[in-house]
Amino acid sequence: MTKEYQTAKIVIEPGIGEYTEKKSRFIAEVRNVETEEEAAAFVNEIKKKYWDARHNCMAFVLGESRDTMRFSDDGEPSGTAGKPILDVILGNQIINAAIVVTRYFGGILLGTGGLVRAYQKAAQEALENSVIAEKSSGIQCQITTDYNGLGKIQYLSGQEGIKLLDIRYSDMVEIDMVCEVSQFAAFKKRVTDITAAKACFEKEEPVSFYRSQNEIIII
């Protein structure tokens, strides 16, 4: 039975993390991938980039239900690298992402616990240095208003953290926007109130979208 997940996040800008333990250097890179082929290509790219490293351990997760999950210890003791990296991806609720952690051996053995900790810390730092977007259920629509209403709607949307996707100017102003389902009814009422019912909401459609601080990706 497929496990149900309530939250899904994606990497929209890749990141790099680094961790050093007893002179061993761990370099982690994360990237958005949509297929196993893309994940394999990313792993090979990292192996070529760090061709002189002793290990390039990896994990990736594909699909909103995490249907495909793979990991590799690449010569490290079983369970000390790939699975800990995978746990970081899952723990951060990330999908469609691969992380490769490269190890340059420092000459001192770390033990199984030390390896697990090092691979996880490097992977976590890579995610923290990435831009992550979370999936939401929303309403996408068009608002038609006069020029007086535009400024009021822009101010209100800024206060509410609602994204205006596009603004088109003619005799009237057409605004494309998207917001979370939970916000929509209240936002629509406030727009109606502040524009004295002169703003018209059209083309209201349910959508799923990923949102980071600065970007909206509609699915």
Side-chain angles (χ1 to χ4, degrees):
M1 182 180 228
T2 302
K3 184 177 179 180
E4 293 296 327
Y5 293 87
Q6 298 301 316
T7 304
K9 302 175 184 178
I10 61 170
V11 175
I12 60 175
E13 288 185 20
I16 298 177
E18 187 168 334
Y19 178 74
T20 301
E21 177 75 15
K22 296 181 180 178
K23 299 183 180 180
S24 278
R25 184 183 174 204
F26 297 81
I27 306 166
E29 298 200 27
V30 57
R31 186 175 300 175
N32 178 267
V33 293
E34 302 289 337
T35 65
E36 291 192 57
E37 291 75 17
E38 286 184 12
F42 173 51
V43 173
N44 288 331
E45 177 186 323
I46 296 300
K47 285 183 176 180
K48 289 179 182 178
K49 180 177 179 179
Y50 301 108
W51 59 270
D52 57 339
R54 176 168 291 192
H55 305 283
N56 288 282
C57 306
M58 71 85 189
F60 65 84
V61 175
L62 302 176
E64 288 193 19
S65 297
R66 288 69 170 176
D67 303 301
T68 302
M69 294 185 283
R70 302 280 187 273
F71 59 88
S72 168
D73 294 311
D74 193 35
E76 292 282 31
S78 179
T80 62
K83 182 61 165 57
I85 297 169
L86 178 65
D87 288 342
V88 169
I89 299 174
L90 295 175
N92 284 273
Q93 302 171 313
I94 307 291
I95 63 169
N96 296 341
I99 297 179
V100 182
V101 182
T102 300
R103 181 190 182 190
Y104 284 93
F105 183 56
I108 301 173
L109 296 176
L110 303 184
T112 56
L115 286 173
V116 169
R117 180 173 60 253
Y119 277 103
Q120 286 188 325
K121 285 191 173 183
Q124 182 63 42
E125 185 172 334
L127 285 178
E128 289 175 358
N129 292 332
S130 305
V131 177
I132 306 296
E134 183 171 347
K135 185 180 178 183
S136 299
S137 296
I139 301 292
Q140 182 179 3
C141 71
Q142 176 182 298
I143 306 172
T144 302
T145 185
D146 56 23
Y147 281 80
N148 184 50
L150 172 61
K152 296 176 181 179
I153 293 170
Q154 287 176 314
Y155 178 75
L156 177 61
S157 64
Q159 281 190 317
E160 300 289 336
I162 291 172
K163 182 71 173 178
L164 303 183
L165 303 173
D166 189 30
I167 301 175
R168 296 177 296 278
Y169 303 91
S170 57
D171 294 340
M172 300 289 285
V173 182
E174 294 179 348
I175 305 168
D176 293 334
M177 58 148 284
V178 64
C179 75
E180 294 184 10
V181 171
S182 59
Q183 291 180 284
F184 184 70
F187 178 73
K188 184 175 182 179
K189 183 180 185 306
R190 290 194 68 186
V191 169
T192 301
D193 291 343
I194 64 175
T195 63
K198 292 180 180 178
C200 179
F201 282 72
E202 303 172 292
K203 302 177 182 178
E204 297 178 16
E205 296 180 353
V207 294
S208 293
F209 66 96
Y210 287 101
R211 178 182 189 135
S212 69
Q213 186 173 0
N214 300 313
E215 188 172 354
I216 292 284
I217 301 172
I218 296 176
I219 305 171

